[in-house]
Amino acid sequence: MDGPLVLSIVGTTATGKSELAVALAQRLDGEIVNADALQVYRGFDIGTAKPSLDERRSVPHHLFDILDPSEAYSAGEFVRRAEVVLEEIHRRNRAAIVVGGSGLYQRALFSGLAELPPVDLGLRRALREEARQRGTPTLHAELAAQDPIAAARLAPGDSQRVVRALEVLRSSGRPLSEWLRARPVGERKARRHLVRIGLTLPRTLLYDRLASRVEAMIERGWVKEVADLLAGGVPAEAPAFQAIGYRQLVGYLRGESTLAAAVSDIVASTRRYAKRQETWFRKEEGVRWFEASAAQPLLVEAVLCDLPAR
């Protein structure tokens, strides 16, 4: 096999990507690189299904707990950090396992970022003020009317990304989805041996698992986690609080809904998000798909048997 091994694990939320990554890292003498947009935030543990401390002690994990919740994160910043980590892992002659459900982050790392137009900072500030005054869902509806492809990939409350899509549209006159379809720049050279693994579940089984996981997160103290973050000074408008689940629980703690209504919204929103993830990853090239409902030892052996000889 030419070049150091990079194993990319993708799939919808709740398919067991993190558990598989740990098992494979133990077998391959590997290290895990986080490609999830939320697990980078300190204190956002339960709702992001962050690997446990025991899992992180069992094999090296990178790019977890590296940002305060008020800090913004992007595909470009992820690529800059991940490239440094990958080089360090390869110098140690170990396999790198990149895992996470943020499809754009993995595409940016392995295929390069699309060239986007420069945006005036005044426009960005104006759009953020619009989001604050009118509400991000209103801006999302505007985006859906002009760039339905981009809007379908974004949650209505994802302020950071909705604003980004609208600022590209308003500044260039072209939808963000058109820019992203253009030939990416900075395409990665074949310095590594990349193997892409995808985990999938039948829709009904996935939806049942999603609902059960949300219930389990609530029982583990997700509401208290959000309350503690707010009490600790994290503003409700922080980028990390715009994520599915966190924004609903912030609303509940503000008295804007009942807990039952918030949980119901979390489950429904997560299902829609999982559907978008599945659509995204099915369009990616070179992914070898595995049924995630298999017992983990069997799944691990199936993936290992499918890997090229090292």
Side-chain angles (χ1 to χ4, degrees), residues 3-308:
L5 173 65
V6 176
L7 183 60
S8 163
I9 302 178
V10 301
T12 69
T13 186
T15 49
K17 297 184 297 295
S18 296
E19 294 85 350
L20 177 63
V22 170
L24 290 172
Q26 292 171 338
R27 295 287 296 275
L28 294 170
D29 190 28
E31 302 186 23
I32 293 172
V33 182
N34 171 43
D36 182 277
L38 292 174
Q39 292 179 348
V40 296
Y41 290 110
R42 289 183 282 269
F44 282 65
D45 302 328
I46 297 174
T48 65
K50 194 176 292 180
S52 68
L53 290 178
D54 285 342
E55 288 174 321
R56 281 185 269 175
R57 291 188 187 107
S58 67
V59 295
H61 282 64
H62 303 276
L63 302 186
F64 292 86
D65 296 331
I66 58 173
L67 296 180
D68 289 328
S70 296
E71 295 183 82
Y73 199 47
S74 66
E77 180 62 20
F78 161 71
V79 170
R80 285 189 287 274
R81 291 175 180 264
E83 287 283 6
V84 172
V85 171
L86 288 175
E87 290 302 320
E88 292 172 349
I89 293 172
H90 295 150
R91 280 199 294 270
R92 291 190 285 272
N93 197 31
R94 306 189 78 187
I97 301 172
V98 181
V99 59
S102 299
L104 179 60
Y105 284 20
Q106 295 228 25
R107 181 181 293 178
L109 179 62
F110 299 124
S111 301
L113 286 167
E115 184 176 12
L116 296 179
V119 175
D120 179 72
L121 292 180
L123 172 61
R124 179 170 296 170
R125 286 192 291 268
L127 279 167
R128 287 177 177 170
E129 181 63 19
E130 277 191 59
R132 189 185 68 81
Q133 292 187 2
R134 299 170 58 200
T136 304
T138 302
L139 293 188
H140 184 271
E142 177 185 330
L143 178 66
Q146 301 179 71
D147 188 358
I149 296 175
R153 295 172 177 164
L154 304 175
D158 190 342
S159 177
Q160 180 182 349
R161 291 177 176 81
V162 169
V163 165
R164 178 59 174 148
L166 276 176
E167 67 186 22
V168 169
L169 177 64
R170 291 189 185 181
S171 63
S172 70
R174 289 177 59 195
L176 176 62
S177 57
E178 287 189 11
W179 286 95
L180 294 178
R181 279 199 302 268
R183 181 178 178 84
V185 298
E187 214 168 314
R188 307 287 174 236
K189 296 179 181 178
R191 304 189 304 267
R192 306 168 182 134
H193 191 100
L194 174 64
V195 177
R196 310 197 72 182
I197 299 299
L199 295 182
T200 186
L201 282 171
R203 187 68 55 85
T204 54
L205 180 57
L206 174 63
Y207 283 179
D208 287 345
R209 187 179 288 191
L210 289 173
S212 297
R213 189 167 79 155
V214 171
E215 181 179 341
M217 287 174 170
I218 295 295
E219 291 176 353
R220 286 177 54 208
W222 194 5
V223 175
K224 184 178 184 300
E225 177 177 280
V226 175
D228 289 347
L229 288 165
L230 290 169
V234 180
E237 297 76 21
F241 270 146
Q242 308 314 306
I244 294 173
Y246 284 95
R247 66 173 180 270
Q248 286 90 346
L249 293 182
V250 167
Y252 159 67
L253 291 169
R254 285 176 154 183
E256 298 170 0
S257 73
T258 65
L259 180 57
V263 170
S264 178
D265 189 10
I266 292 170
V267 172
S269 298
T270 305
R271 287 177 175 176
R272 290 192 292 269
Y273 175 60
K275 187 175 180 180
R276 294 196 299 271
Q277 285 180 302
E278 180 80 10
T279 300
W280 176 285
F281 289 125
R282 286 293 181 182
K283 293 180 180 178
E284 295 292 275
E285 296 181 356
V287 178
R288 310 177 191 194
W289 290 96
F290 293 83
E291 176 63 56
S293 60
Q296 190 181 86
L298 297 178
L299 178 59
V300 170
E301 292 303 325
V303 171
L304 290 173
C305 288
D306 199 54
L307 294 179

